[in-house]
Amino acid sequence: MSSRRSRISEEEIAELLSKLQSLLPEARRRGTSRASASKLLKETCNYIKSLHREVDDLSDRLSEMMATMDMDSAQAEIIRSLFRP
């Protein structure tokens, strides 16, 4: 079993908030002003949700494209190559 602490230190929270703030487009636009922790976490969740919606939309578009294309075409091969490791 891990002997890891169950509580996060204030320093760790501050570091996490700083990293989140640097990653979020909205937080970067505000510059050096510090958002409250709860507001920053809410922005993070909203940003992740918007990324999920974007991925879902792209997935739907790709499915529609693939449903109407010739699976032996060069375009289909390009799309398949994107999914190969």
Side-chain angles (χ1 to χ4, degrees):
M1 240 194 231
S2 174
S3 62
R4 190 174 169 145
R5 297 175 294 171
S6 62
R7 298 202 69 108
I8 299 173
S9 72
E10 290 296 318
E11 184 178 310
E12 290 170 319
I13 291 171
E15 183 179 340
L16 174 62
L17 291 174
S18 176
K19 287 178 181 179
L20 287 173
Q21 191 171 30
S22 70
L23 294 173
L24 291 174
E26 186 65 30
R28 281 196 302 252
R29 281 197 291 268
R30 281 196 301 269
T32 58
S33 68
R34 292 282 182 192
S36 70
S38 62
K39 184 175 181 181
L40 187 57
L41 291 174
K42 184 175 181 177
E43 286 178 18
T44 302
C45 290
N46 289 338
Y47 185 60
I48 290 170
K49 287 177 187 175
S50 74
L51 291 174
H52 277 275
R53 282 190 301 272
E54 192 173 333
V55 167
D56 287 343
D57 291 344
L58 290 171
S59 176
D60 291 343
R61 288 175 54 196
L62 181 59
S63 293
E64 289 170 8
M65 283 178 56
M66 294 198 67
T68 60
M69 77 172 48
D70 175 9
M71 294 311 285
D72 294 323
S73 69
Q75 188 178 28
E77 180 55 34
I78 290 169
I79 292 172
R80 280 192 297 274
S81 73
L82 294 173
F83 295 104
R84 290 187 195 123

Coordinates of all heavy atoms in Angstrom, one line a residue:
M1 N 0.8 -1.2 0.0 CA 0.0 0.0 0.0 C 0.9 1.3 0.0 O 1.9 1.3 0.6 CB -0.9 0.0 1.3 CG -2.3 0.0 0.9 SD -3.3 0.4 2.4 CE -4.4 -0.9 2.4
S2 N 0.4 2.3 -0.6 CA 1.1 3.5 -0.7 C 1.0 4.3 0.7 O 0.0 4.3 1.3 CB 0.5 4.4 -1.8 OG 1.1 5.7 -1.8
S3 N 2.1 5.0 1.0 CA 2.1 5.8 2.2 C 1.8 7.2 1.9 O 2.2 8.1 2.7 CB 3.4 5.6 3.0 OG 4.5 6.1 2.2
R4 N 1.2 7.5 0.8 CA 1.0 8.8 0.3 C 0.0 9.5 1.3 O -1.0 9.0 1.8 CB 0.4 8.8 -1.1 CG 0.3 10.1 -1.7 CD -0.1 10.0 -3.1 NE -0.4 11.3 -3.6 CZ -0.2 11.8 -4.7 NH1 0.3 11.0 -5.7 NH2 -0.5 13.0 -5.1
R5 N 0.2 10.8 1.4 CA -0.7 11.6 2.3 C -2.1 11.7 1.6 O -2.2 11.7 0.4 CB -0.1 13.1 2.4 CG 1.2 13.1 3.1 CD 1.7 14.5 3.1 NE 2.0 14.9 1.7 CZ 2.3 16.1 1.3 NH1 2.3 17.1 2.1 NH2 2.5 16.3 0.0
S6 N -3.1 11.9 2.5 CA -4.4 12.0 1.9 C -4.8 13.5 1.8 O -5.8 13.8 1.1 CB -5.4 11.3 2.8 OG -5.4 11.9 4.1
R7 N -4.0 14.4 2.3 CA -4.4 15.8 2.3 C -3.3 16.5 1.3 O -2.2 16.2 1.3 CB -4.3 16.5 3.6 CG -5.3 15.8 4.5 CD -5.7 16.7 5.7 NE -6.4 17.9 5.2 CZ -7.7 18.1 5.5 NH1 -8.4 17.2 6.1 NH2 -8.3 19.2 5.1
I8 N -3.8 17.5 0.6 CA -3.0 18.2 -0.3 C -2.6 19.5 0.4 O -3.4 20.2 1.0 CB -3.8 18.6 -1.6 CG1 -4.2 17.3 -2.3 CG2 -2.9 19.5 -2.5 CD1 -5.1 17.5 -3.5
S9 N -1.3 19.8 0.3 CA -0.8 21.0 1.0 C -1.2 22.3 0.2 O -1.6 22.3 -1.0 CB 0.7 21.0 1.1 OG 1.3 21.2 -0.2
E10 N -1.2 23.4 0.9 CA -1.5 24.7 0.3 C -0.6 25.0 -0.9 O -1.0 25.5 -1.9 CB -1.4 25.8 1.4 CG -2.5 25.8 2.4 CD -3.9 26.0 1.8 OE1 -4.1 26.9 0.9 OE2 -4.8 25.3 2.2
E11 N 0.7 24.6 -0.7 CA 1.7 24.8 -1.8 C 1.3 24.0 -3.0 O 1.4 24.5 -4.1 CB 3.1 24.4 -1.3 CG 4.1 24.7 -2.3 CD 5.5 24.4 -1.7 OE1 5.8 24.8 -0.6 OE2 6.2 23.7 -2.4
E12 N 0.8 22.8 -2.8 CA 0.4 21.9 -4.0 C -0.8 22.5 -4.6 O -0.9 22.5 -5.9 CB 0.2 20.5 -3.5 CG 1.4 19.8 -3.1 CD 1.2 18.4 -2.4 OE1 0.2 18.4 -1.6 OE2 1.9 17.5 -2.7
I13 N -1.7 23.0 -3.8 CA -2.9 23.6 -4.4 C -2.6 24.9 -5.2 O -3.0 25.1 -6.4 CB -3.9 24.0 -3.3 CG1 -4.5 22.7 -2.7 CG2 -5.1 24.9 -3.8 CD1 -5.4 22.9 -1.5
A14 N -1.7 25.7 -4.7 CA -1.3 26.9 -5.4 C -0.6 26.5 -6.7 O -0.8 27.2 -7.7 CB -0.3 27.7 -4.5
E15 N 0.3 25.5 -6.7 CA 1.0 25.0 -7.9 C 0.0 24.5 -8.9 O 0.1 24.9 -10.1 CB 2.0 23.9 -7.5 CG 2.8 23.5 -8.7 CD 3.8 22.4 -8.3 OE1 4.1 22.3 -7.1 OE2 4.2 21.7 -9.2
L16 N -1.0 23.8 -8.5 CA -2.0 23.3 -9.4 C -2.8 24.4 -10.0 O -3.1 24.4 -11.2 CB -3.0 22.3 -8.7 CG -4.2 21.8 -9.5 CD1 -3.7 21.0 -10.7 CD2 -5.1 21.0 -8.6
L17 N -3.2 25.4 -9.2 CA -4.0 26.5 -9.7 C -3.2 27.3 -10.7 O -3.7 27.8 -11.7 CB -4.4 27.4 -8.6 CG -5.5 26.8 -7.7 CD1 -5.8 27.7 -6.5 CD2 -6.8 26.5 -8.4
S18 N -1.9 27.5 -10.4 CA -1.0 28.2 -11.4 C -0.9 27.5 -12.7 O -1.0 28.1 -13.8 CB 0.4 28.3 -10.7 OG 1.3 28.9 -11.6
K19 N -0.8 26.1 -12.6 CA -0.7 25.3 -13.9 C -2.0 25.4 -14.6 O -2.0 25.6 -15.9 CB -0.4 23.9 -13.6 CG 1.1 23.7 -13.1 CD 1.4 22.3 -12.8 CE 2.8 22.1 -12.4 NZ 3.1 20.7 -12.0
L20 N -3.2 25.3 -13.9 CA -4.5 25.4 -14.6 C -4.6 26.7 -15.2 O -5.1 26.8 -16.4 CB -5.6 25.1 -13.6 CG -5.8 23.7 -13.1 CD1 -6.8 23.6 -12.0 CD2 -6.1 22.8 -14.3
Q21 N -4.3 27.8 -14.5 CA -4.4 29.1 -15.1 C -3.6 29.3 -16.3 O -4.0 29.9 -17.3 CB -4.0 30.1 -14.0 CG -4.4 31.6 -14.4 CD -4.2 32.5 -13.2 OE1 -3.3 32.3 -12.4 NE2 -4.9 33.6 -13.2
S22 N -2.4 28.7 -16.4 CA -1.6 28.9 -17.6 C -2.1 28.1 -18.8 O -1.8 28.4 -19.9 CB -0.1 28.5 -17.3 OG -0.1 27.1 -17.1
L23 N -2.9 27.1 -18.5 CA -3.5 26.2 -19.6 C -4.8 26.7 -20.1 O -5.1 26.4 -21.3 CB -3.7 24.8 -19.1 CG -2.4 24.0 -18.7 CD1 -2.7 22.7 -18.1 CD2 -1.5 23.8 -19.9
L24 N -5.5 27.4 -19.3 CA -6.9 27.9 -19.8 C -6.8 29.1 -20.6 O -6.2 30.1 -20.2 CB -7.8 28.1 -18.6 CG -8.2 26.9 -17.8 CD1 -8.9 27.3 -16.6 CD2 -9.0 26.0 -18.6
P25 N -7.4 29.1 -21.8 CA -7.4 30.3 -22.7 C -8.0 31.5 -22.0 O -7.4 32.6 -22.0 CB -8.2 29.9 -23.9 CG -8.2 28.5 -23.9 CD -8.1 28.0 -22.5
E26 N -9.1 31.4 -21.3 CA -9.7 32.5 -20.6 C -8.8 33.1 -19.5 O -8.7 34.3 -19.3 CB -11.1 32.0 -20.0 CG -11.9 33.1 -19.5 CD -12.4 34.1 -20.5 OE1 -12.6 33.8 -21.7 OE2 -12.5 35.3 -20.1
A27 N -8.2 32.2 -18.7 CA -7.3 32.7 -17.6 C -6.1 33.4 -18.2 O -5.6 34.4 -17.6 CB -6.9 31.5 -16.8
R28 N -5.6 32.9 -19.3 CA -4.4 33.6 -19.9 C -4.7 35.0 -20.3 O -3.9 35.9 -20.2 CB -3.9 32.8 -21.1 CG -3.1 31.6 -20.7 CD -2.3 31.1 -21.8 NE -3.1 30.7 -23.0 CZ -3.3 29.5 -23.4 NH1 -2.8 28.5 -22.7 NH2 -4.1 29.2 -24.4
R29 N -5.9 35.2 -20.8 CA -6.3 36.5 -21.3 C -6.4 37.5 -20.2 O -6.2 38.7 -20.4 CB -7.6 36.5 -22.0 CG -7.6 36.0 -23.4 CD -8.8 36.3 -24.2 NE -10.0 35.6 -23.8 CZ -10.4 34.4 -24.3 NH1 -9.7 33.9 -25.2 NH2 -11.4 33.9 -23.8
R30 N -6.7 37.1 -19.0 CA -6.8 38.0 -17.8 C -5.4 38.5 -17.4 O -5.3 39.4 -16.6 CB -7.5 37.3 -16.7 CG -9.0 37.3 -16.9 CD -9.7 37.0 -15.6 NE -9.2 35.7 -15.0 CZ -9.9 34.5 -15.3 NH1 -10.9 34.5 -16.0 NH2 -9.4 33.4 -14.7
G31 N -4.4 37.8 -17.8 CA -3.0 38.3 -17.5 C -2.7 37.8 -16.1 O -2.9 36.7 -15.7
T32 N -2.1 38.7 -15.3 CA -1.5 38.3 -14.0 C -2.6 38.3 -12.9 O -2.2 37.9 -11.8 CB -0.4 39.3 -13.6 OG1 -1.0 40.6 -13.6 CG2 0.7 39.2 -14.6
S33 N -3.8 38.8 -13.1 CA -4.8 38.7 -12.0 C -5.1 37.3 -11.6 O -5.2 36.4 -12.5 CB -6.0 39.5 -12.4 OG -6.7 38.8 -13.4
R34 N -5.2 37.0 -10.4 CA -5.5 35.7 -9.8 C -6.9 35.5 -9.6 O -7.6 36.2 -8.9 CB -4.7 35.5 -8.5 CG -3.2 35.5 -8.6 CD -2.8 34.1 -9.1 NE -1.4 34.0 -9.2 CZ -0.8 33.1 -9.8 NH1 -1.4 32.2 -10.5 NH2 0.5 33.1 -9.9
A35 N -7.5 34.4 -10.2 CA -8.8 34.1 -10.0 C -8.9 33.3 -8.8 O -8.0 32.6 -8.3 CB -9.4 33.3 -11.2
S36 N -10.1 33.2 -8.2 CA -10.3 32.4 -7.0 C -10.2 31.0 -7.4 O -10.4 30.6 -8.6 CB -11.6 32.7 -6.3 OG -12.7 32.2 -7.2
A37 N -9.9 30.1 -6.5 CA -9.7 28.7 -6.8 C -11.0 28.1 -7.3 O -10.9 27.3 -8.3 CB -9.2 27.9 -5.5
S38 N -12.1 28.4 -6.7 CA -13.3 27.8 -7.2 C -13.7 28.3 -8.6 O -14.2 27.5 -9.4 CB -14.5 28.1 -6.2 OG -14.7 29.5 -6.2
K39 N -13.4 29.5 -8.9 CA -13.7 30.1 -10.2 C -12.8 29.4 -11.2 O -13.2 29.0 -12.3 CB -13.6 31.6 -10.2 CG -14.0 32.2 -11.6 CD -13.9 33.7 -11.5 CE -14.3 34.2 -12.9 NZ -14.3 35.7 -12.9
L40 N -11.5 29.3 -10.9 CA -10.6 28.7 -11.8 C -10.9 27.2 -12.1 O -10.9 26.7 -13.2 CB -9.2 28.8 -11.3 CG -8.0 28.3 -12.2 CD1 -8.1 29.1 -13.5 CD2 -6.7 28.5 -11.5
L41 N -11.3 26.5 -11.1 CA -11.7 25.1 -11.2 C -13.0 25.0 -12.1 O -13.1 24.1 -12.9 CB -11.9 24.4 -9.9 CG -10.6 24.2 -9.1 CD1 -10.9 23.6 -7.7 CD2 -9.7 23.3 -9.9
K42 N -13.9 25.9 -11.9 CA -15.2 25.9 -12.7 C -14.8 26.2 -14.2 O -15.3 25.6 -15.1 CB -16.1 27.0 -12.2 CG -17.4 27.0 -12.9 CD -18.4 28.0 -12.3 CE -19.7 27.9 -13.0 NZ -20.7 28.8 -12.4
E43 N -13.9 27.1 -14.4 CA -13.5 27.4 -15.8 C -12.8 26.2 -16.4 O -13.0 25.9 -17.6 CB -12.5 28.6 -15.8 CG -13.1 29.9 -15.6 CD -12.1 31.0 -15.5 OE1 -11.0 30.8 -16.0 OE2 -12.4 32.1 -15.0
T44 N -12.0 25.5 -15.6 CA -11.4 24.3 -16.1 C -12.4 23.2 -16.5 O -12.3 22.7 -17.6 CB -10.4 23.7 -15.0 OG1 -9.5 24.7 -14.6 CG2 -9.7 22.4 -15.5
C45 N -13.4 23.0 -15.7 CA -14.5 22.1 -16.0 C -15.2 22.5 -17.2 O -15.5 21.7 -18.1 CB -15.4 21.9 -14.8 SG -14.7 21.1 -13.4
N46 N -15.5 23.8 -17.3 CA -16.2 24.3 -18.5 C -15.4 24.1 -19.8 O -15.9 23.7 -20.9 CB -16.6 25.7 -18.4 CG -17.8 25.9 -17.4 OD1 -18.5 25.0 -17.1 ND2 -17.9 27.1 -16.8
Y47 N -14.1 24.3 -19.7 CA -13.2 24.2 -20.8 C -13.1 22.7 -21.2 O -13.2 22.4 -22.4 CB -11.8 24.7 -20.5 CG -10.8 24.7 -21.6 CD1 -11.1 25.5 -22.8 CD2 -9.7 24.0 -21.6 CE1 -10.2 25.5 -23.8 CE2 -8.8 24.0 -22.6 CZ -9.1 24.8 -23.7 OH -8.2 24.8 -24.8
I48 N -13.0 21.8 -20.3 CA -13.0 20.4 -20.6 C -14.3 20.0 -21.3 O -14.3 19.2 -22.2 CB -12.7 19.6 -19.3 CG1 -11.2 19.8 -18.9 CG2 -13.0 18.1 -19.5 CD1 -10.9 19.2 -17.5
K49 N -15.4 20.4 -20.8 CA -16.7 20.1 -21.4 C -16.8 20.6 -22.8 O -17.3 19.9 -23.7 CB -17.8 20.7 -20.6 CG -18.1 20.0 -19.3 CD -19.2 20.8 -18.5 CE -19.4 20.2 -17.1 NZ -20.3 20.9 -16.3
S50 N -16.2 21.8 -23.1 CA -16.3 22.3 -24.4 C -15.4 21.5 -25.3 O -15.7 21.3 -26.5 CB -15.9 23.8 -24.5 OG -14.5 24.0 -24.3
L51 N -14.2 21.0 -24.8 CA -13.4 20.2 -25.6 C -14.1 18.8 -25.9 O -14.0 18.3 -27.0 CB -12.1 19.9 -24.9 CG -11.1 21.1 -24.7 CD1 -9.9 20.7 -23.9 CD2 -10.7 21.6 -26.1
H52 N -14.8 18.3 -24.9 CA -15.6 17.1 -25.2 C -16.6 17.3 -26.3 O -16.8 16.4 -27.2 CB -16.3 16.6 -23.9 CG -15.4 15.8 -23.0 ND1 -15.2 14.5 -23.1 CD2 -14.6 16.2 -21.9 CE1 -14.4 14.1 -22.2 NE2 -14.0 15.1 -21.5
R53 N -17.3 18.4 -26.2 CA -18.3 18.7 -27.3 C -17.7 18.8 -28.6 O -18.2 18.3 -29.6 CB -19.1 20.0 -27.0 CG -20.1 19.9 -25.9 CD -21.0 21.1 -25.8 NE -20.3 22.3 -25.5 CZ -20.0 22.8 -24.3 NH1 -20.4 22.1 -23.2 NH2 -19.3 23.9 -24.1
E54 N -16.5 19.5 -28.7 CA -15.8 19.6 -30.0 C -15.4 18.2 -30.5 O -15.5 18.0 -31.7 CB -14.6 20.5 -29.8 CG -13.9 20.9 -31.0 CD -12.8 22.0 -30.8 OE1 -12.9 22.7 -29.8 OE2 -11.9 22.0 -31.6
V55 N -14.9 17.4 -29.6 CA -14.5 16.0 -30.1 C -15.7 15.2 -30.5 O -15.6 14.6 -31.6 CB -13.8 15.3 -28.9 CG1 -13.6 13.8 -29.2 CG2 -12.4 15.9 -28.6
D56 N -16.8 15.4 -29.8 CA -18.0 14.7 -30.3 C -18.5 15.2 -31.6 O -18.9 14.4 -32.5 CB -19.2 14.9 -29.2 CG -19.0 14.1 -28.0 OD1 -18.1 13.2 -28.0 OD2 -19.6 14.4 -27.0
D57 N -18.4 16.5 -31.8 CA -18.8 17.0 -33.1 C -17.9 16.5 -34.3 O -18.4 16.2 -35.3 CB -18.8 18.6 -33.1 CG -19.9 19.2 -32.3 OD1 -20.9 18.5 -31.9 OD2 -19.8 20.4 -31.9
L58 N -16.6 16.5 -34.0 CA -15.7 16.0 -35.0 C -15.9 14.6 -35.3 O -15.8 14.1 -36.4 CB -14.2 16.3 -34.6 CG -13.8 17.8 -34.5 CD1 -12.4 17.9 -33.9 CD2 -13.8 18.3 -35.9
S59 N -16.2 13.8 -34.2 CA -16.4 12.4 -34.4 C -17.7 12.2 -35.3 O -17.7 11.3 -36.2 CB -16.6 11.7 -33.0 OG -17.0 10.4 -33.2
D60 N -18.7 12.9 -35.0 CA -19.9 12.8 -35.9 C -19.6 13.2 -37.3 O -20.1 12.5 -38.2 CB -21.0 13.8 -35.3 CG -21.6 13.3 -34.0 OD1 -21.4 12.1 -33.6 OD2 -22.2 14.1 -33.3
R61 N -18.9 14.3 -37.5 CA -18.6 14.7 -38.9 C -17.7 13.6 -39.6 O -18.0 13.3 -40.8 CB -17.8 16.0 -38.9 CG -18.7 17.2 -38.5 CD -17.9 18.5 -38.4 NE -17.1 18.7 -39.6 CZ -16.1 19.6 -39.6 NH1 -15.8 20.3 -38.5 NH2 -15.4 19.8 -40.7
L62 N -16.8 13.0 -38.9 CA -15.9 12.0 -39.5 C -16.8 10.7 -39.8 O -16.6 10.1 -40.9 CB -14.8 11.6 -38.5 CG -13.8 10.5 -39.0 CD1 -13.2 10.9 -40.3 CD2 -12.8 10.3 -37.9
S63 N -17.7 10.4 -38.9 CA -18.6 9.2 -39.2 C -19.4 9.5 -40.4 O -19.6 8.6 -41.2 CB -19.5 9.0 -38.0 OG -18.7 8.6 -36.9
E64 N -20.0 10.7 -40.5 CA -20.8 11.0 -41.7 C -19.9 10.9 -43.0 O -20.4 10.4 -44.0 CB -21.4 12.4 -41.6 CG -22.5 12.5 -40.5 CD -22.9 13.9 -40.2 OE1 -22.4 14.9 -40.9 OE2 -23.7 14.1 -39.3
M65 N -18.7 11.5 -42.9 CA -17.8 11.4 -44.1 C -17.6 10.0 -44.5 O -17.6 9.6 -45.7 CB -16.5 12.1 -43.8 CG -16.6 13.6 -43.9 SD -15.0 14.4 -43.5 CE -13.9 13.6 -44.7
M66 N -17.2 9.2 -43.5 CA -16.9 7.8 -43.8 C -18.0 7.0 -44.3 O -17.9 6.0 -45.1 CB -16.2 7.1 -42.6 CG -14.9 7.8 -42.3 SD -13.8 6.8 -41.2 CE -13.4 5.5 -42.3
A67 N -19.2 7.3 -43.9 CA -20.4 6.6 -44.3 C -20.7 6.8 -45.8 O -21.4 6.0 -46.4 CB -21.6 7.0 -43.4
T68 N -20.3 8.0 -46.3 CA -20.6 8.3 -47.7 C -19.4 8.2 -48.7 O -19.6 8.4 -49.9 CB -21.1 9.8 -47.8 OG1 -20.1 10.7 -47.3 CG2 -22.4 10.0 -46.9
M69 N -18.3 7.8 -48.2 CA -17.1 7.7 -49.1 C -16.9 6.2 -49.5 O -17.2 5.3 -48.8 CB -15.9 8.3 -48.5 CG -15.2 7.5 -47.4 SD -13.6 8.1 -46.9 CE -13.9 9.8 -46.5
D70 N -16.2 6.1 -50.6 CA -15.8 4.8 -51.1 C -14.6 4.4 -50.2 O -13.6 5.0 -50.1 CB -15.3 5.0 -52.6 CG -14.7 3.7 -53.1 OD1 -14.8 2.6 -52.5 OD2 -14.2 3.8 -54.2
M71 N -14.8 3.2 -49.5 CA -13.8 2.8 -48.6 C -12.5 2.3 -49.2 O -11.5 2.1 -48.5 CB -14.4 1.6 -47.8 CG -15.6 2.0 -46.9 SD -15.2 3.5 -45.9 CE -14.1 2.9 -44.6
D72 N -12.5 2.2 -50.6 CA -11.2 1.9 -51.3 C -10.5 3.1 -51.8 O -9.5 3.0 -52.5 CB -11.5 0.9 -52.4 CG -12.0 -0.4 -51.9 OD1 -11.5 -0.9 -50.8 OD2 -12.9 -1.0 -52.5
S73 N -11.1 4.3 -51.5 CA -10.5 5.5 -52.1 C -9.2 6.0 -51.4 O -9.0 5.5 -50.2 CB -11.5 6.7 -52.1 OG -11.8 7.1 -50.7
A74 N -8.5 6.9 -52.0 CA -7.3 7.4 -51.4 C -7.7 8.2 -50.1 O -7.0 8.2 -49.1 CB -6.6 8.3 -52.4
Q75 N -8.8 8.9 -50.2 CA -9.3 9.7 -49.0 C -9.6 8.8 -47.8 O -9.2 9.1 -46.7 CB -10.5 10.5 -49.4 CG -11.0 11.5 -48.4 CD -12.2 12.2 -48.9 OE1 -13.0 11.7 -49.6 NE2 -12.4 13.4 -48.4
A76 N -10.2 7.6 -48.1 CA -10.5 6.7 -47.0 C -9.2 6.1 -46.4 O -9.0 5.9 -45.2 CB -11.3 5.5 -47.5
E77 N -8.2 5.9 -47.3 CA -6.9 5.4 -46.8 C -6.2 6.4 -45.9 O -5.6 6.1 -44.9 CB -6.0 5.0 -48.0 CG -4.6 4.5 -47.6 CD -4.7 3.3 -46.6 OE1 -5.6 2.4 -46.7 OE2 -3.8 3.2 -45.7
I78 N -6.3 7.7 -46.3 CA -5.7 8.7 -45.5 C -6.3 8.8 -44.1 O -5.6 8.8 -43.0 CB -5.8 10.1 -46.1 CG1 -4.9 10.2 -47.4 CG2 -5.5 11.3 -45.2 CD1 -5.2 11.4 -48.3
I79 N -7.6 8.7 -44.0 CA -8.4 8.7 -42.8 C -8.0 7.5 -41.9 O -7.7 7.6 -40.7 CB -9.9 8.8 -42.9 CG1 -10.2 10.1 -43.5 CG2 -10.6 8.5 -41.7 CD1 -11.7 10.3 -44.0
R80 N -7.9 6.3 -42.5 CA -7.5 5.1 -41.8 C -6.1 5.2 -41.3 O -5.8 4.8 -40.2 CB -7.6 3.8 -42.7 CG -9.0 3.3 -42.8 CD -9.0 1.9 -43.5 NE -8.5 1.9 -44.8 CZ -9.2 2.2 -45.9 NH1 -10.5 2.4 -45.8 NH2 -8.7 2.1 -47.1
S81 N -5.2 5.9 -42.0 CA -3.8 6.0 -41.6 C -3.7 6.9 -40.3 O -2.7 6.7 -39.6 CB -3.0 6.6 -42.7 OG -3.2 7.9 -42.9
L82 N -4.7 7.8 -40.1 CA -4.6 8.6 -39.0 C -4.9 7.8 -37.7 O -4.5 8.2 -36.6 CB -5.7 9.7 -39.1 CG -5.5 10.7 -40.2 CD1 -6.7 11.7 -40.3 CD2 -4.2 11.5 -40.0
F83 N -5.5 6.7 -37.8 CA -5.9 5.9 -36.7 C -4.8 4.8 -36.4 O -5.0 4.0 -35.4 CB -7.3 5.3 -36.8 CG -8.3 6.3 -36.8 CD1 -8.9 6.7 -38.0 CD2 -8.7 7.0 -35.6 CE1 -9.9 7.7 -38.0 CE2 -9.7 7.9 -35.6 CZ -10.3 8.3 -36.8
R84 N -3.9 4.6 -37.2 CA -2.8 3.6 -37.0 C -1.8 4.1 -36.0 O -1.5 5.3 -36.0 CB -2.1 3.3 -38.3 CG -3.0 2.5 -39.3 CD -2.2 2.1 -40.5 NE -3.2 1.7 -41.5 CZ -3.2 2.2 -42.7 NH1 -2.4 3.1 -43.1 NH2 -4.1 1.7 -43.6
P85 N -1.3 3.2 -35.2 CA -0.3 3.6 -34.2 C 1.0 4.0 -34.9 O 1.4 3.7 -35.9 CB -0.1 2.3 -33.3 CG -0.9 1.2 -33.9 CD -1.6 1.8 -35.1

